[in-house]
Amino acid sequence: MDRIKSGTRKINQMPRKALIAANWKMFKTPAEAKAFTDAFLPLVAGHDRDEIALFPSVTSLATVVEAAAGSNVAVGLQNMHFAEEGAYTGETSAAMLKAVGATHVLIGHSERRQYFNETDEVVNKKLHTALKHGIVPVVCVGEHLHERETGQTGLVLLKQLQGALHNIDSAHAHSLVIAYEPVWAIGTGRTATPEMAIEAHMIIRAELANIFDSHFAKATRILYGGSVKPENASELLGQDEIDGALVGGASLKPESFAAIVKY
Ligand code: PEP
């Protein structure tokens, strides 16, 4: 592994600082989220090799932002609406997210695609909105098991990327983060091998070069997600092609998530 002093990765002279992100899904009340944050921050104090971000549910967002204020841990939301405001009962806007002090957002997580009908078109609209508001977007892509087993992984990734990035201006998309999350590995305990993840990341990076340019592609962080835990973090995150992780189940306990951050 080739790391330069600041902790960033250096591939073809293009440094990328890894991002290790916790997706808490629909877990934790505000009190539980605060207890996690209070316990977690000392465990990662001074850690600047990677960026760290917590993605609580909307009701805990303000609590976690406040608890993490002044620390090395950023906070984001797991979803947001693409509209500026309006009659969208139950939704959260970019302005609301920012007003609370959150800086990141997950877009197109497979659970949103699967259970809430989130299409590539919706993902694209949300990405436009996030970039317009200066929110760091983490766009999730990944294939289902039957798609992998029938050799369609590459096609699925290209379709999702082309849909998500439609009409996105690369000049305003430097904060873009892609998370490769094979659906069959999410919450299942099955993890992609480093070889599988690297292969998918290379497909994604090549498509970013195709859609934008190779400079943009080399600078863009591509995270791996899917049953990352302390036991497998180093074999995945130690790969130059893997620029961090999106972690679900193993991010719910401070010690476990800190162990992943500090793999
Ligand atoms: C996720 O929610 O994005 C995820 C990768 O979950 P898990 O780590 O539990 O597989």
Side-chain angles (χ1 to χ4, degrees), residues 20-21 180-181 185-192 223-234 236-237 242 244-251 256-257 259-261 263:
I20 320 271
Y180 167 59
E181 297 211 302
I186 297 180
T188 59
R190 285 185 69 178
T191 315
L223 317 185
Y224 168 77
S227 297
V228 175
K229 12 182 203 279
E231 301 77 47
N232 60 24
S234 64
L236 289 158
L237 296 172
I242 301 179
L246 182 55
V247 187
S251 74
S256 158
F257 188 51
I260 293 171
V261 169
Y263 72 90

Side-chain angles (χ1 to χ4, degrees), residues 16-256:
R16 300 190 295 261
K17 187 160 190 166
L19 169 65
I20 320 271
N23 174 17
W24 289 348
K25 313 192 188 211
M26 200 171 71
F27 292 100
K28 296 192 189 298
T29 62
E32 290 165 346
K34 170 145 175 43
F36 175 105
T37 311
D38 289 347
F40 177 67
L41 292 182
L43 301 179
V44 297
H47 181 94
D48 69 356
R49 180 190 62 191
D50 315 289
E51 285 176 24
I52 307 167
L54 303 176
F55 290 81
S57 63
V58 70
T59 58
S60 295
L61 190 65
T63 305
V64 177
V65 167
E66 199 177 313
S71 77
N72 55 340
V73 175
V75 185
L77 198 53
Q78 299 166 18
N79 176 43
M80 65 167 208
H81 201 275
F82 51 78
E84 293 298 322
E85 60 181 2
Y88 298 104
T89 302
E91 293 289 328
T92 309
S93 73
M96 291 169 184
L97 182 161
K98 278 184 77 179
V100 168
T103 50
H104 292 55
V105 69
L106 299 184
I107 299 178
H109 189 281
S110 65
E111 288 152 16
R112 303 273 338 149
R113 293 178 189 257
Q114 191 171 345
Y115 304 123
F116 302 97
N117 244 349
E118 203 150 296
T119 60
D120 291 331
E121 195 187 347
V122 170
V123 169
N124 176 247
K125 287 184 176 174
K126 290 183 176 187
L127 179 57
H128 276 280
T129 303
L131 293 172
K132 178 178 164 202
H133 285 267
I135 298 166
V136 178
V138 180
V139 174
C140 306
V141 296
E143 80 286 2
H144 286 268
L145 186 58
H146 70 273
E147 292 167 333
R148 173 161 285 272
E149 287 177 344
T150 52
Q152 296 179 77
T153 299
L155 283 178
V156 170
L157 295 177
L158 296 195
K159 181 180 164 291
Q160 290 178 338
L161 280 176
Q162 287 162 6
L165 301 176
H166 181 66
N167 275 344
I168 294 291
D169 178 359
S170 64
H172 299 117
H174 294 300
S175 64
L176 175 69
V177 178
I178 303 289
Y180 167 59
E181 297 211 302
V183 182
W184 50 269
I186 297 180
T188 59
R190 285 185 69 178
T191 315
T193 62
E195 292 72 27
M196 285 173 172
I198 289 167
E199 188 186 20
H201 284 214
M202 289 174 78
I203 291 170
I204 292 168
R205 209 175 292 288
E207 188 57 15
L208 290 174
N210 193 28
I211 294 172
F212 300 124
D213 57 60
S214 67
H215 185 84
F216 185 95
K218 282 178 195 156
T220 303
R221 291 176 295 178
I222 305 175
L223 317 185
Y224 168 77
S227 297
V228 175
K229 12 182 203 279
E231 301 77 47
N232 60 24
S234 64
E235 66 167 5
L236 289 158
L237 296 172
Q239 309 295 331
D240 278 344
E241 218 0 273
I242 301 179
D243 306 316
L246 182 55
V247 187
S251 74
L252 292 170
K253 294 218 165 72
E255 301 75 19
S256 158

